[in-house]
Amino acid sequence: MAVMNYRGEEMRNLSVDGARLWKSLMDMAEIGATPKGGSRRLALSDSDRQGRDLFVRWCREAGCSIRVDRMGNIFARRPGKDESRPPVMMGSHLDTQPSGGKFDGVYGVLAGLEVIRTLNDHGYESDSPVELAVWTNEEGARFAPSMIGSGVFAGTYSIEKGLACADVDGTTIGEELRRIGYAGDDPCGGRPIRAFFEAHIEQGPILEAEGKTIGVVTGAQGLRWYDVTVGGMDSHAGTTPMDRRRDAMAGAARMLVAAERIGKTTPGAVTTVGMLRVVPSSRNVVPGEVFFTVDARHPDGDTLAAMDAALRGSFAEIAQQADLKLAIETVTDTAPVVFDEGCVDAVRQAAEGSGYPCRDIVSGAGHDACFINEVAPTAMIFVPCKDGISHNEIESAAPDDLTAGCNVLLRVVLTAAEW
Ligand code: GLV
Ligand code: MN
Ligand code: MN
């Protein structure tokens, strides 16, 4: 069936304004801009608040109503012809890594805004309402676990757990939401969504290497995060003989190497130690305590479970040999995700129908879509990023590719709004 606007014009081949999308991305990137061209907007920091405020202003100017839920997730709504229908939702996140890029998350949000602006330009009234979400604390860089706003929305985490998440200084999400003015009243989740679509840069090298413009994301690999604390004994660096030390740092170093080996020797796996804290951190004290994190991922749940066992086994053996204490806490355990077949097909058809070279792809990164998939039919649209680099200030993507992904988002939303 043809999709028409109120003037009776065919809307199926409608296109977004790529230059407007690019300008919005560049304007948002100025908030928390970093020296090498990236952005630093840690979740619920002052710069995150500024980014949220700008987003809300733009959405209001585009005629949307705004609601904020108890986790600080923001929903901009463009009404549909039939307001009793559940919304078709787009969205992603505006928070960044400490030295993040301009596109991770932000693209999915501002591509959604560009879709709404385009619908406005053409006076198109969708059957279903269209909503655009900004999810709180996707990155997990300031508050672990990651994707907490969408995780509470989907019922994976309780609201109490979400609001109580604390950063390294002990400041909680609940406190920071109140401080920056985004502690909303709406219940978090528990309402129907007809379909959810998240556009995102790939954050890996596959699309670029194969010359594809669109990744049709069929799912995402599983992810586990661990907090590891190794306990030894502080002692004098000059006077403690080597055979009498309980050196937490030396033990942790062997654990780091073991984690890397497990990642390297398990086909398709990745493992990362991204945070390390040494106590008391003095050059002439044998360290008595070391804290580090492990991020382990694999597309297959059984293999991820085997990696879990291998990590725990090798850490325990190292601790035992060196007379060290060991505590391992699992902070995140997200199973591999398979997106909804109907939504994935709709993305594939929109990409192919637009003439964009595309391929199916499994996401290496975690995304809010992974949680929303639990409560609504969901899929994602990937576009290439330069050299596959992300979580880096130099993260970059080509304007034409960003426009193409946004066109696919527009077309898939137009389709789903009729479902
Ligand atoms: C999200 O950025 C992730 O860690 O995959
Ligand atoms: Mn992201
Ligand atoms: Mn990220």
Side-chain angles (χ1 to χ4, degrees), residues 13-265:
N13 295 319
L14 197 65
S15 290
V16 301
D17 181 340
R20 182 169 59 187
L21 169 63
W22 182 258
K23 180 163 182 346
S24 301
L25 285 162
M26 295 307 112
D27 287 351
M28 185 60 78
E30 277 176 25
I31 300 175
T34 60
K36 290 185 202 150
S39 298
R40 178 186 171 91
R41 287 191 306 275
L42 288 173
L44 312 183
S45 60
D46 287 346
S47 53
D48 189 23
R49 168 176 44 193
Q50 285 172 47
R52 286 164 171 260
D53 288 351
L54 180 59
F55 168 79
V56 167
R57 176 161 72 75
W58 280 341
C59 290
R60 288 213 166 104
E61 286 167 3
C64 295
S65 58
I66 300 288
R67 301 201 68 108
V68 180
D69 74 16
R70 291 184 63 204
M71 278 303 295
N73 298 316
I74 309 171
F75 302 93
R77 182 175 173 108
R78 185 179 189 272
K81 274 190 256 181
D82 181 353
E83 278 292 290
S84 69
R85 292 171 72 135
V88 173
M89 195 180 277
M90 310 172 282
S92 192
H93 60 99
L94 290 174
D95 67 319
T96 73
Q97 289 289 327
S99 51
K102 296 190 192 80
F103 303 97
D104 176 1
V106 191
Y107 171 57
V109 172
L110 298 183
L113 176 61
E114 180 51 39
V115 166
I116 288 175
R117 287 170 167 170
T118 302
L119 296 179
N120 288 348
D121 292 346
H122 294 268
Y124 179 70
E125 288 181 284
S126 53
D127 286 347
S128 302
V130 173
E131 287 195 25
L132 172 56
V134 172
W135 303 107
T136 295
N137 186 53
E138 190 275 348
E139 291 289 6
R142 181 176 177 198
F143 303 97
S146 55
M147 305 179 281
I148 189 83
S150 51
V152 173
F153 189 95
T156 305
Y157 304 123
S158 68
I159 182 78
E160 292 76 22
K161 178 182 163 86
L163 294 174
C165 275
D167 66 8
V168 288
D169 301 320
T171 308
T172 66
I173 286 187
E175 287 163 351
E176 285 294 80
L177 282 173
R178 283 194 295 280
R179 185 184 71 81
I180 69 165
Y182 280 89
D185 294 326
D186 274 21
C188 185
R191 66 187 175 101
I193 298 169
R194 183 61 191 90
F196 179 74
F197 297 101
E198 181 170 356
H200 208 284
I201 56 167
E202 179 202 336
Q203 308 185 273
I206 297 170
L207 296 177
E208 183 181 60
E210 294 188 7
K212 305 288 191 206
T213 308
I214 300 294
V216 179
V217 188
T218 56
Q221 65 179 343
L223 158 70
R224 295 197 192 191
W225 277 5
Y226 307 90
D227 279 359
V228 184
T229 308
V230 183
M233 189 175 158
D234 299 5
S235 59
H236 196 293
T239 59
T240 316
M242 296 306 284
D243 62 351
R244 295 185 61 148
R245 294 176 180 217
R246 294 180 56 225
D247 183 340
M249 185 64 159
R254 290 203 285 279
M255 293 178 200
L256 268 49
V257 171
E260 191 199 28
R261 178 180 42 76
I262 289 163
K264 280 187 164 163
T265 55

